[in-house]
Amino acid sequence: MSRFLSPEASRLEPYTPGEQPQDQQYIKLNTNESPFPPSPKVVKALTKAEVLKLCLYSDPTCAGLNAALAKRYELQPENVISGNGSDEILAFAFRAFCGEGKPAACADITYGFYEAQTALFGLDCKRVPLREDFSLNVDDYMDFPGTIFIANPNAPTGMAVPREDIQRLLEKDPERVVVVDEAYVDFGGESCVPMIYRYDNLLVVQTMSKSRSLAGGRIGFALGSPELIADLNRVKYSFNPYNINRLSLIAGAAAVEDEPYFQTCCNTIQENRAWLVGELERLGFSVLPSKANFVFAKSDRIPGGELYRKLKENGVLVRWFDKDRIRDYVRITIGSMEQLAELAGALDHLLDEL
């Protein structure tokens, strides 16, 4: 740290992204990316003519992308805001709906970005413990007076909350906002998007990084009432009006319009996930029930940290969190069958050596 860093910034504990090696020497199953390329429609849309327009600013309203998303989810454009990844949208939500007299609440084991953002904005945040089996029970949030953030399916556990439970939370207190982060919902979860017209205190956040193979494009979006979306735009235009570049706007709209490719990728991930769970259980792992494009698993024969390090030595990257309650687990992204077969072989070899 430099001597110029403010006391407020020096107290921050930044979010730690997963390893991103650039030399491609690893089988990369650590950051929940898609193993598939973007839709062919995306590749076709990114023409030389569009590249030559990079000398011009992008559309700050994201009109084309928002219109495509509104059509896909049977909403109106005023129900949509797009951002530079869902992380930016979540940051807008923390800034818009939390502050003095409006604390935030989230699970104690969930996406680490929530904790980093509340610290960055100086917000009060209640960490609500997951149950013993790592499930999230909405009854634990019923009397909370502020804004609630729920990752559904949760990260890093992959476990999901039924939509009717979110509905109970929305109805208990219509004067508070419930933000449902659905980054992984397309892999078997139950989306809350159909409830948007009924509940003006519901904000659903999604991303194109996972199910639409655009992690490098940095495209996220939120769906909610026009009033909530206007609140988020108020923050956006106070921070970064041109928040999505021209090529990502084009890529995002093209990806949304290729429904068959999207469904094929999601179905394949679910099939691959079932195969991997079977292999892990064959090897004696305990695996949490996942509705995401990853699984959270542990072995009684080897600690999570040691397993992570040994797999890395063997050319396979998974994610390990050195935190209470989950230190024995590793999170494994669902890759291609070829990648998962390599992982299973590496696990077989490592466990045989114990």
Side-chain angles (χ1 to χ4, degrees):
M1 293 187 292
S2 79
R3 67 183 186 278
F4 306 108
L5 189 68
S6 70
E8 292 81 4
S10 67
R11 289 193 290 268
L12 295 177
E13 293 187 14
Y15 172 71
T16 303
E19 297 166 89
Q20 292 286 352
Q22 301 301 306
D23 54 11
Q24 299 297 314
Q25 65 175 316
Y26 294 99
I27 294 173
K28 197 167 178 298
L29 302 175
N30 65 324
T31 51
N32 301 338
E33 296 147 319
S34 172
F36 311 116
S39 158
K41 289 189 175 183
V42 171
V43 179
K44 185 177 180 180
L46 297 176
T47 63
K48 180 179 178 181
E50 294 297 342
V51 172
L52 292 175
K53 294 178 184 177
L54 286 175
C55 57
L56 304 174
Y57 280 114
S58 57
D59 175 14
T61 70
C62 306
L65 176 57
N66 289 352
L69 287 164
K71 181 180 179 181
R72 164 65 173 76
Y73 292 98
E74 300 182 340
L75 299 167
Q76 299 301 314
E78 55 264 33
N79 295 114
V80 184
I81 181 174
S82 298
N84 195 299
S86 59
D87 287 343
E88 184 181 60
I89 296 292
L90 289 165
F92 291 165
F94 277 112
R95 184 67 287 171
F97 307 123
C98 304
E100 187 175 351
K102 288 189 174 184
C106 64
D108 65 332
I109 299 170
T110 191
Y111 184 28
F113 188 76
Y114 304 159
E115 185 175 10
Q117 282 297 306
T118 53
L120 177 64
F121 294 131
L123 305 173
D124 292 330
C125 184
K126 180 180 180 181
R127 307 302 298 274
V128 181
L130 296 177
R131 296 296 174 95
E132 186 72 20
D133 62 354
F134 294 110
S135 64
L136 186 149
N137 192 314
V138 298
D139 290 335
D140 298 333
Y141 295 80
M142 283 297 175
D143 297 322
F144 183 74
T147 303
I148 298 169
F149 291 79
I150 295 178
N152 192 35
N154 193 22
T157 65
M159 298 174 67
V161 178
R163 185 163 60 205
E164 57 264 27
D165 285 358
I166 303 293
Q167 183 176 350
R168 290 197 296 116
L169 201 56
L170 292 163
E171 292 177 349
K172 179 63 164 59
D173 186 355
E175 299 307 311
R176 69 182 173 199
V177 175
V178 178
V179 179
V180 184
D181 181 358
E182 294 186 346
Y184 303 102
V185 75
D186 296 322
F187 304 107
E190 194 174 21
S191 178
C192 289
V193 171
M195 300 196 296
I196 283 173
Y197 280 133
R198 282 183 286 156
Y199 300 100
D200 65 358
N201 58 331
L202 168 65
L203 185 74
V204 177
V205 179
Q206 293 194 14
T207 178
M208 296 196 191
S209 294
K210 321 298 181 184
S211 57
R212 297 192 186 273
S213 304
L214 288 174
R218 310 307 306 126
I219 307 168
F221 56 96
L223 309 170
S225 69
E227 292 78 13
L228 289 184
I229 298 303
D231 293 342
L232 295 177
N233 272 312
R234 185 180 184 87
V235 175
K236 167 187 166 175
Y237 283 95
S238 300
F239 173 67
N240 186 16
Y242 303 101
N243 62 333
I244 304 182
N245 70 77
R246 296 182 68 93
L247 298 184
S248 288
L249 287 173
I250 294 167
V256 171
E257 290 165 359
D258 196 347
E259 189 70 16
Y261 187 81
F262 162 76
Q263 292 293 345
T264 296
C265 291
C266 292
N267 291 340
T268 302
I269 290 297
Q270 292 178 69
E271 293 167 2
N272 292 2
R273 182 180 66 206
W275 183 88
L276 178 61
V277 169
E279 285 296 293
L280 290 171
E281 291 178 342
R282 176 183 66 81
L283 294 169
F285 280 78
S286 299
V287 188
L288 297 186
S290 174
K291 295 292 186 180
N293 68 335
F294 59 84
V295 295
F296 206 47
K298 71 171 182 176
S299 170
D300 292 335
R301 298 175 60 190
I302 182 171
E306 184 179 350
L307 178 58
Y308 154 74
R309 287 185 288 271
K310 286 186 176 295
L311 282 173
K312 185 175 181 179
E313 290 169 3
N314 283 270
V316 181
L317 285 180
V318 297
R319 192 78 190 268
W320 174 63
F321 301 90
D322 188 11
K323 295 183 178 181
D324 292 341
R325 296 186 67 187
I326 60 172
R327 195 168 281 115
D328 288 336
Y329 287 80
V330 292
R331 192 192 69 192
I332 306 170
T333 300
I334 305 302
S336 67
M337 279 303 302
E338 292 78 12
Q339 291 173 318
L340 298 183
E342 290 278 354
L343 167 68
L347 289 171
D348 259 323
H349 177 70
L350 291 177
L351 293 175
D352 282 345
E353 291 184 336
L354 296 180

